[in-house]
Amino acid sequence: MKYRFLILLCSFISCTNARKENEFKKSKVIVIQPLGDFKTEQSQLVFTEIKTINLNVVLRPNISFPENSYYKPRNRYRADSIIKSIKDNIGKDSLIVGLSNHDISTTYKGVKDWGVMGLGYRPGKSCVVSDFRMSGKNRNQQFYKVVLHELGHTEGLPHCETKTCLMRDAEGGNHLDEEKEFCEKCKSFLVKKGWNLI
C-alpha cells in the first residue's frame, strides 16, 4: 500500500512537471526591436516590464526604419510597411514588436494616412508601437499599455468592449489612462498562450 502511494505521488509530480514544461514551451519568444533613434532607456524599460509576463524576451539593438516605410508628405512612417518588413527577422515561435518615437500611420476606414499609436497583425508575428501621440505625463505607462495591446493582437485577441481592458479599441482617441489591465476573458486567453498574468 505504501509503495503504491509513492508510485502514485511520483506519477502526479512527474505529470505536473511535464505540464509546467509544456506550458513554458507554449510561450513564444518576444523580440523587442527599437527603430531609428528610439531611446535606449525606453527600450530597457519595455524589456524589463515584458520580462514579468514572459521570460523569453530578447532586446535587439536599434535598426533603421525599413526604407519603403517613410511617408514623406506627412513626415511619418507607415506602420503596415514596418510590420510587414520586421516579421521576417524572427523565428517561427517568436513575436516581434517594433518601438518608435516617430509618428506612424496606416490606411483605415477609407483614410489613406491615419495616424496610430500602434498596429499589429491579428493573429500574426509582428506589431509596432509609437509614443508620438501619447501624453507627456504618463508616457512610459501609456507606451507599455499599447505594447501589451498590440502583442495581444499578435496572439489573436480582438478588441474588447470592456472599457478598462488593455484590449479596448482606441477609436481615434487616447483612453489609455482609463485602461487598467486585461479583463478576465482576455487575461485567460493570454495565460493559455503562456503569458504569466496571474
Side-chain angles (χ1 to χ4, degrees), residues 33-38 62-66 82 86 98-102 128:
Q33 182 59 76
L35 299 164
D37 54 0
F38 191 82
N62 291 42
I63 61 168
S64 300
F65 283 90
I82 293 169
I86 64 176
L99 309 181
S100 171
N101 292 134
H102 295 277
V128 62

PDB file of all heavy atoms in Angstrom, residues 33-38 62-66 82 86 98-102 128:
ATOM      1  N   GLN A  33      12.320  45.242 -30.843  1.00  0.00           N
ATOM      2  CA  GLN A  33      13.147  45.833 -31.895  1.00  0.00           C
ATOM      3  C   GLN A  33      12.993  47.350 -31.947  1.00  0.00           C
ATOM      4  O   GLN A  33      12.055  47.873 -32.543  1.00  0.00           O
ATOM      5  CB  GLN A  33      12.774  45.240 -33.256  1.00  0.00           C
ATOM      6  CG  GLN A  33      13.607  45.765 -34.412  1.00  0.00           C
ATOM      7  CD  GLN A  33      15.076  45.489 -34.213  1.00  0.00           C
ATOM      8  OE1 GLN A  33      15.516  44.359 -34.388  1.00  0.00           O
ATOM      9  NE2 GLN A  33      15.852  46.492 -33.840  1.00  0.00           N
ATOM     10  N   PRO A  34      13.912  48.086 -31.298  1.00  0.00           N
ATOM     11  CA  PRO A  34      13.867  49.553 -31.405  1.00  0.00           C
ATOM     12  C   PRO A  34      14.170  50.002 -32.841  1.00  0.00           C
ATOM     13  O   PRO A  34      15.031  49.432 -33.503  1.00  0.00           O
ATOM     14  CB  PRO A  34      14.968  50.016 -30.439  1.00  0.00           C
ATOM     15  CG  PRO A  34      15.316  48.815 -29.617  1.00  0.00           C
ATOM     16  CD  PRO A  34      15.012  47.623 -30.457  1.00  0.00           C
ATOM     17  N   LEU A  35      13.462  51.030 -33.282  1.00  0.00           N
ATOM     18  CA  LEU A  35      13.605  51.529 -34.650  1.00  0.00           C
ATOM     19  C   LEU A  35      14.170  52.945 -34.661  1.00  0.00           C
ATOM     20  O   LEU A  35      13.806  53.775 -33.825  1.00  0.00           O
ATOM     21  CB  LEU A  35      12.253  51.522 -35.349  1.00  0.00           C
ATOM     22  CG  LEU A  35      11.578  50.151 -35.486  1.00  0.00           C
ATOM     23  CD1 LEU A  35      10.100  50.318 -35.829  1.00  0.00           C
ATOM     24  CD2 LEU A  35      12.280  49.316 -36.556  1.00  0.00           C
ATOM     25  N   GLY A  36      15.040  53.213 -35.635  1.00  0.00           N
ATOM     26  CA  GLY A  36      15.611  54.556 -35.780  1.00  0.00           C
ATOM     27  C   GLY A  36      16.368  54.958 -34.536  1.00  0.00           C
ATOM     28  O   GLY A  36      17.179  54.202 -34.009  1.00  0.00           O
ATOM     29  N   ASP A  37      16.070  56.175 -34.039  1.00  0.00           N
ATOM     30  CA  ASP A  37      16.791  56.695 -32.864  1.00  0.00           C
ATOM     31  C   ASP A  37      15.997  56.474 -31.575  1.00  0.00           C
ATOM     32  O   ASP A  37      16.079  57.261 -30.641  1.00  0.00           O
ATOM     33  CB  ASP A  37      17.093  58.184 -33.059  1.00  0.00           C
ATOM     34  CG  ASP A  37      15.828  59.001 -33.380  1.00  0.00           C
ATOM     35  OD1 ASP A  37      14.733  58.409 -33.449  1.00  0.00           O
ATOM     36  OD2 ASP A  37      15.951  60.221 -33.561  1.00  0.00           O
ATOM     37  N   PHE A  38      15.215  55.394 -31.528  1.00  0.00           N
ATOM     38  CA  PHE A  38      14.430  55.114 -30.329  1.00  0.00           C
ATOM     39  C   PHE A  38      15.342  55.079 -29.106  1.00  0.00           C
ATOM     40  O   PHE A  38      16.422  54.505 -29.139  1.00  0.00           O
ATOM     41  CB  PHE A  38      13.686  53.779 -30.462  1.00  0.00           C
ATOM     42  CG  PHE A  38      12.666  53.559 -29.389  1.00  0.00           C
ATOM     43  CD1 PHE A  38      11.407  54.128 -29.489  1.00  0.00           C
ATOM     44  CD2 PHE A  38      12.965  52.803 -28.268  1.00  0.00           C
ATOM     45  CE1 PHE A  38      10.457  53.944 -28.484  1.00  0.00           C
ATOM     46  CE2 PHE A  38      12.032  52.611 -27.264  1.00  0.00           C
ATOM     47  CZ  PHE A  38      10.772  53.181 -27.372  1.00  0.00           C
ATOM     48  N   ASN A  62      19.136  48.885 -31.948  1.00  0.00           N
ATOM     49  CA  ASN A  62      18.344  49.689 -32.890  1.00  0.00           C
ATOM     50  C   ASN A  62      18.701  49.365 -34.337  1.00  0.00           C
ATOM     51  O   ASN A  62      19.872  49.108 -34.650  1.00  0.00           O
ATOM     52  CB  ASN A  62      18.588  51.178 -32.655  1.00  0.00           C
ATOM     53  CG  ASN A  62      18.015  51.664 -31.349  1.00  0.00           C
ATOM     54  OD1 ASN A  62      18.120  51.004 -30.310  1.00  0.00           O
ATOM     55  ND2 ASN A  62      17.408  52.832 -31.362  1.00  0.00           N
ATOM     56  N   ILE A  63      17.674  49.385 -35.183  1.00  0.00           N
ATOM     57  CA  ILE A  63      17.889  49.270 -36.633  1.00  0.00           C
ATOM     58  C   ILE A  63      17.179  50.449 -37.300  1.00  0.00           C
ATOM     59  O   ILE A  63      16.343  51.107 -36.697  1.00  0.00           O
ATOM     60  CB  ILE A  63      17.347  47.939 -37.212  1.00  0.00           C
ATOM     61  CG1 ILE A  63      15.823  47.825 -36.990  1.00  0.00           C
ATOM     62  CG2 ILE A  63      18.083  46.736 -36.655  1.00  0.00           C
ATOM     63  CD1 ILE A  63      15.165  46.696 -37.769  1.00  0.00           C
ATOM     64  N   SER A  64      17.512  50.703 -38.538  1.00  0.00           N
ATOM     65  CA  SER A  64      16.835  51.768 -39.295  1.00  0.00           C
ATOM     66  C   SER A  64      15.411  51.345 -39.625  1.00  0.00           C
ATOM     67  O   SER A  64      15.107  50.153 -39.718  1.00  0.00           O
ATOM     68  CB  SER A  64      17.577  52.033 -40.605  1.00  0.00           C
ATOM     69  OG  SER A  64      18.896  52.432 -40.344  1.00  0.00           O
ATOM     70  N   PHE A  65      14.542  52.337 -39.813  1.00  0.00           N
ATOM     71  CA  PHE A  65      13.207  52.044 -40.307  1.00  0.00           C
ATOM     72  C   PHE A  65      13.336  51.419 -41.697  1.00  0.00           C
ATOM     73  O   PHE A  65      14.244  51.793 -42.457  1.00  0.00           O
ATOM     74  CB  PHE A  65      12.377  53.329 -40.425  1.00  0.00           C
ATOM     75  CG  PHE A  65      11.859  53.844 -39.122  1.00  0.00           C
ATOM     76  CD1 PHE A  65      12.615  54.741 -38.370  1.00  0.00           C
ATOM     77  CD2 PHE A  65      10.623  53.437 -38.641  1.00  0.00           C
ATOM     78  CE1 PHE A  65      12.140  55.227 -37.164  1.00  0.00           C
ATOM     79  CE2 PHE A  65      10.138  53.922 -37.433  1.00  0.00           C
ATOM     80  CZ  PHE A  65      10.892  54.816 -36.684  1.00  0.00           C
ATOM     81  N   PRO A  66      12.450  50.485 -42.053  1.00  0.00           N
ATOM     82  CA  PRO A  66      12.502  49.946 -43.423  1.00  0.00           C
ATOM     83  C   PRO A  66      12.409  51.082 -44.440  1.00  0.00           C
ATOM     84  O   PRO A  66      11.631  52.023 -44.261  1.00  0.00           O
ATOM     85  CB  PRO A  66      11.259  49.045 -43.483  1.00  0.00           C
ATOM     86  CG  PRO A  66      10.970  48.692 -42.062  1.00  0.00           C
ATOM     87  CD  PRO A  66      11.396  49.868 -41.243  1.00  0.00           C
ATOM     88  N   ILE A  82       6.106  48.675 -41.879  1.00  0.00           N
ATOM     89  CA  ILE A  82       7.052  48.267 -40.836  1.00  0.00           C
ATOM     90  C   ILE A  82       6.784  46.837 -40.395  1.00  0.00           C
ATOM     91  O   ILE A  82       7.702  46.001 -40.364  1.00  0.00           O
ATOM     92  CB  ILE A  82       6.982  49.223 -39.621  1.00  0.00           C
ATOM     93  CG1 ILE A  82       7.485  50.613 -40.002  1.00  0.00           C
ATOM     94  CG2 ILE A  82       7.799  48.664 -38.445  1.00  0.00           C
ATOM     95  CD1 ILE A  82       7.204  51.687 -38.962  1.00  0.00           C
ATOM     96  N   ILE A  86       9.469  43.683 -40.653  1.00  0.00           N
ATOM     97  CA  ILE A  86      10.170  43.094 -39.497  1.00  0.00           C
ATOM     98  C   ILE A  86       9.722  41.667 -39.172  1.00  0.00           C
ATOM     99  O   ILE A  86      10.431  40.941 -38.472  1.00  0.00           O
ATOM    100  CB  ILE A  86      10.077  43.980 -38.230  1.00  0.00           C
ATOM    101  CG1 ILE A  86       8.626  44.122 -37.744  1.00  0.00           C
ATOM    102  CG2 ILE A  86      10.724  45.340 -38.475  1.00  0.00           C
ATOM    103  CD1 ILE A  86       8.487  44.898 -36.434  1.00  0.00           C
ATOM    104  N   GLY A  98       8.107  46.335 -32.861  1.00  0.00           N
ATOM    105  CA  GLY A  98       8.945  47.474 -33.205  1.00  0.00           C
ATOM    106  C   GLY A  98       8.588  48.666 -32.330  1.00  0.00           C
ATOM    107  O   GLY A  98       7.403  48.908 -32.068  1.00  0.00           O
ATOM    108  N   LEU A  99       9.585  49.406 -31.870  1.00  0.00           N
ATOM    109  CA  LEU A  99       9.373  50.558 -30.994  1.00  0.00           C
ATOM    110  C   LEU A  99       9.817  51.832 -31.699  1.00  0.00           C
ATOM    111  O   LEU A  99      10.930  51.911 -32.214  1.00  0.00           O
ATOM    112  CB  LEU A  99      10.171  50.394 -29.695  1.00  0.00           C
ATOM    113  CG  LEU A  99      10.007  49.080 -28.919  1.00  0.00           C
ATOM    114  CD1 LEU A  99      10.855  49.104 -27.654  1.00  0.00           C
ATOM    115  CD2 LEU A  99       8.545  48.819 -28.584  1.00  0.00           C
ATOM    116  N   SER A 100       8.931  52.841 -31.701  1.00  0.00           N
ATOM    117  CA  SER A 100       9.215  54.081 -32.431  1.00  0.00           C
ATOM    118  C   SER A 100       8.909  55.320 -31.595  1.00  0.00           C
ATOM    119  O   SER A 100       7.907  55.362 -30.884  1.00  0.00           O
ATOM    120  CB  SER A 100       8.370  54.115 -33.710  1.00  0.00           C
ATOM    121  OG  SER A 100       8.451  55.373 -34.331  1.00  0.00           O
ATOM    122  N   ASN A 101       9.756  56.331 -31.724  1.00  0.00           N
ATOM    123  CA  ASN A 101       9.466  57.656 -31.166  1.00  0.00           C
ATOM    124  C   ASN A 101       8.849  58.560 -32.233  1.00  0.00           C
ATOM    125  O   ASN A 101       8.379  59.648 -31.932  1.00  0.00           O
ATOM    126  CB  ASN A 101      10.734  58.331 -30.643  1.00  0.00           C
ATOM    127  CG  ASN A 101      11.329  57.657 -29.425  1.00  0.00           C
ATOM    128  OD1 ASN A 101      12.524  57.425 -29.356  1.00  0.00           O
ATOM    129  ND2 ASN A 101      10.504  57.321 -28.442  1.00  0.00           N
ATOM    130  N   HIS A 102       8.859  58.111 -33.486  1.00  0.00           N
ATOM    131  CA  HIS A 102       8.312  58.896 -34.604  1.00  0.00           C
ATOM    132  C   HIS A 102       6.854  58.518 -34.851  1.00  0.00           C
ATOM    133  O   HIS A 102       6.409  57.427 -34.500  1.00  0.00           O
ATOM    134  CB  HIS A 102       9.132  58.660 -35.872  1.00  0.00           C
ATOM    135  CG  HIS A 102      10.537  59.145 -35.765  1.00  0.00           C
ATOM    136  ND1 HIS A 102      10.894  60.460 -35.972  1.00  0.00           N
ATOM    137  CD2 HIS A 102      11.692  58.491 -35.447  1.00  0.00           C
ATOM    138  CE1 HIS A 102      12.195  60.594 -35.795  1.00  0.00           C
ATOM    139  NE2 HIS A 102      12.704  59.426 -35.468  1.00  0.00           N
ATOM    140  N   VAL A 128       3.940  47.084 -34.195  1.00  0.00           N
ATOM    141  CA  VAL A 128       4.781  48.261 -33.982  1.00  0.00           C
ATOM    142  C   VAL A 128       4.015  49.242 -33.103  1.00  0.00           C
ATOM    143  O   VAL A 128       2.790  49.323 -33.180  1.00  0.00           O
ATOM    144  CB  VAL A 128       5.195  48.923 -35.323  1.00  0.00           C
ATOM    145  CG1 VAL A 128       3.993  49.427 -36.093  1.00  0.00           C
ATOM    146  CG2 VAL A 128       6.206  50.048 -35.091  1.00  0.00           C
TER     147      VAL A 128
END
